[in-house]
Every structure is written in structure tokens, then in C-alpha cells.
Amino acid sequence: MLDIGRISKRFGTRQALAEVSFAVRPGEVFGFVGSNGAGKTTTMRIVLGVLAADSGEVRWKGSPIDADLRRRIGYMPEERGLYPKMKVGEQLRYLARLHGLSNAEAAASVEHWAGRLGVAERVGDEVQKLSLGNQQRVQLCAALVHDPEVLVLDEPFSGLDPTAVTVMSSVLRDKAESGVPVIFSSHQLDLVERLCDRIGVIAAGRMVAVGSVEELRERDGSILIDVHGPPAGWAHGLPGVELVAVDGAGRSRVRLAAGVDDQDVLRAALAAGPVHEFRRWRPPLTELYRNVVESGAAAADHAEVPAA
Amino acid sequence: MTAPLSPKQVVLLVARREFVAQVRSRSFVIGLVITLVLFSGLLLLGAYIGVQSDSKTLGLTAQTASLQPVLEQSAKGQAIQLTVRGVDDEAGRQQVDAGDLDALLTGEAGGYELLGLDAVDSRLQALVTAAVQQQTLTAALTRAGIDPAQLAARSQLAVDTLEPADPEAGQKLGLAFVGIILLFFSLSGYGQLVATGVVEEKQSRVVELLLASIKPWQLLAGKIIGLGAVGLLQLVILSVISGAGATAAGLLTVPTAAVGMFVMVVVWYLLGFFLFAALYAAVGSTVSRQEELNSVVAPMIFLLLIPFVLTLNLLPNDPRNGLAAVLSFIPFFSQTVMPARYALGVASLGEVLVAAVLALIAIVVVVRLAGRVYQNSVLRTGARVSLREALSNRS
């Protein structure tokens, strides 16, 4: 288990991170979301030891991360970085060797990952001659060549074409299935929702929510229901039922307060007119995220955030 | 599957990458060729200027022809190759105008005139002045009944030295010059490469990836060692080529002194390189882009240039110069001044050792400070990192 335990970091007068805590389990893909400047990159840099935390600790399998453990992490920095004038293959072999692989192991691993990520034909080219998308694939190779025990990827999907996104997703899933905790940040929430087992939302340096998408949905306890059929105003006056949205074509969305029986609501709707559709609305992560960040930013000052 | 690497292995891996990347780069070969061309060009130019300035053609008219023996004799004494051509006044003026004659001596006793195109070479002027004076003096003495030869014998001055004059002094000076020029170019060139390399890693952001697996000092040490080795390789290649070339051309007949100077150059290159490379790396790490680099490395180039220029100017005429003697012990200056003094035979091996130890102490101090600056600055991008921030203890 990768444990990020109450890490704080201050840059000058700005509190970049305030007691950020969460954990990523082996075999889990963890999505790290938050607006720009919320603290995602700072957190990842601290995990990698590129930055030192003011307080708090990062642990892997129970022991604090030291230089030797760090070497076994695969890292993709937000600021992509490779030697522009070095050939792809040489560069990857060099990075693998810095992580402790022998020459032969490095060569085999580079061949494997370059093939998997579709840059096998470019290993003899200088990095600067590759398109940005291909450079990104090479960057992911660089994070994978030493067969890391933990993967930390800062925005691995930004700037990728749809094919590359598919390849990248499947690689991350495979790594997770082989028992590696994978943590990545992204602004593509639909992708995060699809790919991640659990999600952490960070806002203004504080974790405001951690959990699976389903858990995030159930966080506030209310239930949303889409109803198609009964005339407008059918829900008016029903206790614990709030009309969230309505259109002119007989469609409405209502929020049920905690404890309200949906069967009672269905009966009320039937009483008002024919019901063609009555179903639970599961808000996508985009919507959950908006709610969490908005309410989280307001609550952050006094609420202790539950971390898994 | 990954085994922990010892720090030494990491440093060697980094150094090997730097070495291979540099030696394979086009700039290494081109740099080598350009340096060789410049070097041989410089030597040829020096030789050519030497020949040019020492050979003069003087036109003499019928009235001044009597001065020819005296002129030729004093020219020989001053190591000037003087060609005398008898012309009449009119033709002589035309030949001066056309550049065939360096000057024309015309007029007659009591009213000699030395005519040049737009200036008369000062050595030629001195030569003619002396010849005219001597001619006049001899005539006056003879008229007064004194034998000029007797007078000359009585006014003779013997010059001698306590130690036998060194017949190889000229070659030693040449060796010292070649040595410090090589040192200067190697130190400034490869120091600059270290700074460029640091900024390249910073600008391309690869440094963050590297520092996620190795420590800053390992990266810094590997870079300095790798590039230092390339500099050394270039130094050896250039030394061997210039040594072989000079020997083949008959300019170099003192192989022992040459080998001695070569060893000196290598030792002082290493001492100077670690000192300057650490500084170059430190200042390089404070900026984020190559464009900003020039302004911060300029002071270093001055630091290297000062002893270089001083040595070139002071030592040829005054090998025992006091300022040079003092500077030859001071780190940052010693790497240029001391090998030159040693080559000229004015510094003993003991003095060289003392200066080397002082340089080593300086290296230890500078490398520590530079390492701290580097560690504190290398991951900070954007605005230039101030030296105070970079030297402060927190990372």
C-alpha cells in the first residue's frame, strides 16, 4: 500500500499542501483530480522525493520511502523531460540502467516497452525528431522500463491522440492488474471515471474527497431521479422532494432527501399522469467533481476530510 | 530485478553518457578541427610576421651608397635582413610608392633624408640613424687623428651571466605559450560545456526525471567527470598533433622539455577543470534557459582570461616577474601562470607542488559550495535563482 500521510508543503506564504492524506492499494488505479494549482503535482513530486515535504510522510509497504525505494517507482513528470539530442533507445536504456538494470535487462525491457507503446521503429531517432505524441509515449516508456513497483504519472494523457489514449489506458490497467499501485493525475474526468478504481479530489491543497465514483455519488446521501411522463408540477408539494430540472417535453429531475421512499414518489407521479420512465440518475464524475470542489472549498477550512 | 547501484556506479553511468554524447556529437569533431586550424594558423601567422618584420629593403642613391657597408654591418648586428638596392632618386621614389622599397635613403652628408610611403618602420629608422651617426662620427674622429677601431676597442662592454644562458630558452617560451593557450581553450571550452549541459537538462526538464532516481551530487559529479574526460581527450589529441607537427617542422628539438610541459598541462588542466567546472555548473544551475546563460558565465571567462593575458604579456620579457610569481600560487590563477613559469624554468617542482596543493584545497571548498548551489537551484525553473537563495541551507 502506498500511504500518503498528512503531508504539508509551504512555498513562501502560500500553503500548497495541507495535511494531504490518501492511500493507493496494490492493483489499484487511482485518479488524482483537481483544478490547476490545487496541489497534484506538488504531491507527486513529494512522493518521488524531488521535493521535500515540510511535514508528513510517504510510506510504501509500511516503510518510509527512501532513495532505494524511490528507484523502484516509475515516474512521469508533468514537465516532460528527455534529452532532446539523444536517441530514443539509448536514452531509455540509460534511464533503465540508472534504475539498476543490467545492460542486457535494460535492452530487453526497452525493446518490450517500445513495442508495446508503438514507438519501436523510432528507437534509433533522436527524441527531438519525434512528434509530441510520440515523445509522450517514450516518456511513458521511461516510467516503465525498470519494471517499477509503483507508478506515479502526472497527466499522462494530456496531448495524446485517441489511439494513444487507448494504449496508455490498457497499459495502466495491466500494470495495476499485475499488482502495481498506479496513481495518475488528469483533467479528463470521463477518462478518470472509466479507468480508475478510486479517485481523490484535491482542492486548494486539501483532499476534499477520496473514494470510488460510486462512493462519491453516495457521499451526500440524496438520490436523483429522472421522470418522463407526468405533467409539470407533479412533484409540487411532495415532502422531501425537490425539483432540480424540468423541460417542456414532460421530463423532470427530482432530488429525494435522505429517507424518502422512491416508491411513494413513483405513486405520486402515477397519480399525476402516465409515467414512461422513472429511473435513478447517476451523475458523471464531472458533475460530482463540480459539487465536491465547490462545497469542498467552502468546507475545507473546518472539515476533516475522510481519507480511505 | 533491479539491484541497488552504488554511488560510484551511478556517477560512472552518468559520466559515460556525457562522454559518449559529447565525443559522438558533431561539435566535438568540428571543435577539434577548428582548434587545429586556428592553432596552426596562429603559428604560421606568427612565423610569417616574424619573417616580414625582419626583412627590409632599402634604396640607396649614388650619394648615399657610401653608407652601405655600415648599414649592412649594423643590420647584421640587429638581426635584420637588409637588402640594399642602388637606385636614382626618381626611380627610388616610384619604387617606394609601389611598395617595392620599404624606404629610400636620399640626400647627402649633412642633409640625409629617409623616405617612406606613409610611415617608416621604426627599426629601419633606428638602423639608418645609427649608421648615419656612426659614419659622421668615424669621419670626425679620423679628421681629429683618432683611430676609430682603437676607440671601439677601448669602449667595449662584455655581457655575461652568472648561469650559462639557456640555448633552448626560445623553445621553452614557445612550449609555455602553446601550453597555456591549450589550457585556456580547454578550460573555458569545457567549463562552458558543463554549464550548457546543466542548463540543457534544466531546460528540457529531464533533470526532474533523473533526480527522481539519482542524487543531485551524483548527476553533477558524473557530468563534470564525463566532460572533463572529453576535454582531456581533446587536450591529448591537440598536444600530440602540435608536438608531432612542431618536431617534424624542426621547430621542436627538446623532447624532454616538451613531455615535461605536456605532463604539467595535463595536471593543471585537471586541477583547473574541477575548479572551474564546479563554478560553471553552479552558475548554470541558477538559470533556466540557454539564452540567460551568457550573462552569468561572463565573469568566469574573465577569471580565466586575466591570468592568461597576464602570462602572455609579462612572462616573455620578464620570467621572474613578481606579480606572476605571486599569482602562480593563487587558485583560479595558478592553473595558467604556474605551468608557464615552470616551462620557462623559473619555478621549481616544489613550487609547482605547493601551488597544486593550494589548488586542491580550493577545489574541495568550491566543489562543496557549488554542489550546494546546484542542489538548491537545479529543480527551480523560471526566474533566475539568486546566489543567496542558492547558498542557503534548505532545499
Side-chain angles (χ1 to χ4, degrees):
Chain A
M1 187 126 90
L2 179 68
D3 253 308
I4 284 99
R6 301 164 71 88
I7 54 173
S8 299
K9 178 75 187 175
R10 182 178 275 281
F11 292 120
T13 55
R14 195 170 68 83
Q15 186 77 38
L17 293 180
E19 306 218 321
V20 167
S21 294
F22 60 91
V24 187
R25 303 176 189 117
E28 183 175 76
V29 178
F30 186 90
F32 200 22
V33 299
S35 46
N36 295 325
K40 302 186 293 295
T41 296
T42 305
T43 306
M44 291 185 168
R45 290 178 121 190
I46 287 173
V47 171
L48 263 297
V50 174
L51 209 63
D54 295 339
S55 62
E57 198 173 40
V58 183
R59 287 168 168 272
W60 167 236
K61 289 181 178 166
S63 37
I65 293 201
D66 58 13
D68 185 45
L69 276 169
R70 222 159 253 149
R71 229 170 21 81
R72 307 206 294 265
I73 303 179
Y75 179 41
M76 185 163 171
E78 180 198 28
E79 306 269 19
R80 307 291 183 242
L82 295 164
Y83 287 105
K85 285 178 193 151
M86 207 171 169
K87 287 178 180 157
V88 171
E90 265 170 44
Q91 177 138 223
L92 291 173
R93 278 195 296 278
Y94 171 61
L95 291 169
R97 298 226 41 206
L98 282 185
H99 281 97
L101 264 66
S102 73
N103 224 344
E105 287 169 335
S109 178
V110 167
E111 195 183 85
H112 169 76
W113 285 111
R116 176 80 198 268
L117 287 160
V119 285
E121 295 103 64
R122 311 303 302 269
V123 289
D125 292 337
E126 286 180 5
V127 169
Q128 60 185 2
K129 296 197 173 132
L130 267 58
S131 68
L132 280 179
N134 276 338
Q135 287 190 18
Q136 186 112 323
R137 291 171 192 234
V138 175
Q139 193 85 50
L140 184 66
C141 284
L144 292 165
V145 278
H146 52 290
D147 195 15
E149 289 179 20
V150 178
L151 263 183
V152 178
L153 311 170
D154 205 347
E155 309 230 9
F157 292 99
S158 74
L160 289 185
D161 65 42
T163 330
V165 167
T166 313
V167 174
M168 181 85 78
S169 307
S170 76
V171 168
L172 297 193
R173 274 275 38 125
D174 286 359
K175 285 311 279 187
E177 265 145 41
S178 70
V180 170
V182 177
I183 165 167
F184 76 91
S185 67
S186 179
H187 293 299
Q188 286 153 275
L189 297 177
D190 49 338
L191 192 68
V192 171
E193 183 170 5
R194 214 164 53 232
L195 198 58
C196 295
D197 301 300
R198 284 166 67 246
I199 289 154
V201 184
I202 188 168
R206 288 163 198 275
M207 291 303 282
V208 288
V210 178
S212 65
V213 178
E214 203 50 50
E215 283 164 352
L216 295 186
R217 279 194 192 111
E218 284 166 7
R219 247 163 59 97
D220 62 359
S222 71
I223 290 171
L224 287 164
I225 291 179
D226 278 344
V227 185
H228 181 203
W234 66 271
H236 187 74
L238 285 177
V241 177
E242 175 200 353
L243 187 68
V244 179
V246 67
D247 72 358
R251 279 179 234 275
S252 50
R253 179 174 297 167
V254 292
R255 184 194 302 281
L256 275 53
V260 174
D261 186 355
D262 54 359
Q263 297 308 307
D264 292 340
V265 180
L266 175 59
R267 276 190 284 274
L270 280 167
V275 175
H276 306 302
E277 200 177 307
F278 185 93
R279 71 166 184 196
R280 178 86 182 265
W281 158 246
R282 293 175 187 278
L285 183 60
T286 14
E287 200 160 308
L288 295 170
Y289 171 79
R290 204 167 46 231
N291 295 341
V292 159
V293 168
E294 277 164 11
S295 66
D301 293 329
H302 44 85
E304 192 65 25
V305 176
Chain B
M1 129 182 217
T2 67
L5 290 174
S6 70
K8 198 175 117 199
Q9 286 173 301
V10 173
V11 170
L12 281 179
L13 270 173
V14 176
R16 208 186 59 173
R17 192 207 83 85
E18 295 291 339
F19 185 86
V20 172
Q22 190 53 39
V23 169
R24 256 202 242 148
S25 75
R26 220 177 300 151
S27 61
F28 176 71
V29 182
I30 293 175
L32 204 58
V33 171
I34 289 179
T35 318
L36 271 180
V37 168
L38 275 179
F39 227 69
S40 33
L42 219 62
L43 287 178
L44 284 177
L45 190 69
Y48 176 72
I49 290 173
V51 172
Q52 272 304 92
S53 59
D54 285 350
S55 100
K56 300 279 174 260
T57 311
L58 182 66
L60 293 182
T61 59
Q63 289 92 332
T64 57
S66 61
L67 281 163
Q68 186 168 350
V70 187
L71 279 168
E72 281 175 345
Q73 203 186 343
S74 17
K76 207 191 251 173
Q78 293 182 34
I80 297 174
Q81 286 192 323
L82 184 71
T83 314
V84 173
R85 205 184 289 163
V87 288
D88 64 39
D89 192 83
E90 186 61 27
R93 281 171 192 275
Q94 279 169 12
Q95 287 180 26
V96 169
D97 194 38
D100 294 334
L101 286 177
D102 287 311
L104 173 70
L105 183 59
T106 175
E108 54 191 358
Y112 287 124
E113 189 192 355
L114 186 60
L115 181 77
L117 181 55
D118 51 4
V120 175
D121 179 82
S122 60
R123 293 185 68 187
L124 187 59
Q125 188 183 337
L127 184 70
V128 172
T129 309
V132 168
Q133 277 174 359
Q134 200 185 333
Q135 175 89 337
T136 317
L137 197 62
T138 307
L141 286 171
T142 313
R143 266 202 305 280
I146 302 169
D147 180 6
Q150 207 181 354
L151 184 74
R154 277 165 57 188
S155 63
Q156 204 158 41
L157 171 70
V159 176
D160 204 355
T161 54
L162 282 175
E163 291 171 24
D166 189 348
E168 293 157 358
Q171 288 197 41
K172 285 187 173 169
L173 187 63
L175 280 175
F177 267 28
V178 172
I180 64 165
I181 291 173
L182 275 177
L183 271 171
F184 174 74
F185 280 115
S186 300
L187 290 177
S188 60
Y190 281 85
Q192 174 84 29
L193 265 186
V194 169
T196 313
V198 168
V199 178
E200 186 201 22
E201 278 168 358
K202 226 180 143 174
Q203 190 166 15
S204 72
R205 320 278 180 168
V206 72
V207 67
E208 184 166 346
L209 193 61
L210 296 172
L211 292 189
S213 49
I214 63 176
K215 296 203 169 69
W217 75 263
Q218 296 170 333
L219 182 59
L220 181 61
K223 182 172 282 296
I224 289 179
I225 291 171
L227 288 175
V230 183
L232 189 61
L233 177 69
Q234 178 176 328
L235 194 62
V236 170
I237 295 177
L238 287 176
S239 302
V240 168
I241 292 180
S242 33
T247 309
L251 292 171
L252 186 65
T253 56
V254 282
T256 337
V259 169
M261 185 60 190
F262 172 67
V263 171
M264 266 305 129
V265 165
V266 167
V267 167
W268 283 101
Y269 164 76
L270 292 176
L271 290 169
F273 184 77
F274 283 111
L275 205 53
F276 278 92
L279 278 188
Y280 269 105
V283 296
S285 70
T286 62
V287 299
S288 302
R289 292 181 302 122
Q290 300 289 0
E291 294 79 17
E292 299 168 289
L293 187 58
N294 283 339
S295 61
V296 292
V297 298
M300 302 296 211
I301 295 171
F302 273 113
L303 201 55
L304 270 168
L305 210 55
I306 292 168
F308 179 65
V309 171
L310 274 177
T311 309
L312 285 188
N313 284 311
L314 286 180
L315 290 185
N317 299 320
D318 183 10
R320 290 187 171 76
N321 183 284
L323 176 64
V326 171
L327 288 181
S328 70
F329 288 99
I330 298 177
F332 294 105
F333 298 106
S334 54
Q335 80 281 341
T336 311
V337 188
M338 189 49 102
R341 288 187 66 227
Y342 176 79
L344 293 173
V346 294
S348 69
L349 207 55
E351 289 180 74
V352 175
L353 278 177
V354 171
V357 168
L358 289 176
L360 273 176
I361 295 171
I363 288 174
V364 172
V365 175
V366 168
V367 163
R368 272 166 182 254
L369 288 178
R372 184 186 290 178
V373 170
Y374 179 80
Q375 193 153 357
N376 284 339
S377 324
V378 75
L379 281 171
R380 294 183 43 180
T381 49
R384 188 176 149 191
V385 182
S386 78
L387 206 58
R388 202 161 54 87
E389 281 178 295
L391 277 171
S392 74
N393 242 328
R394 83 199 156 72
S395 63

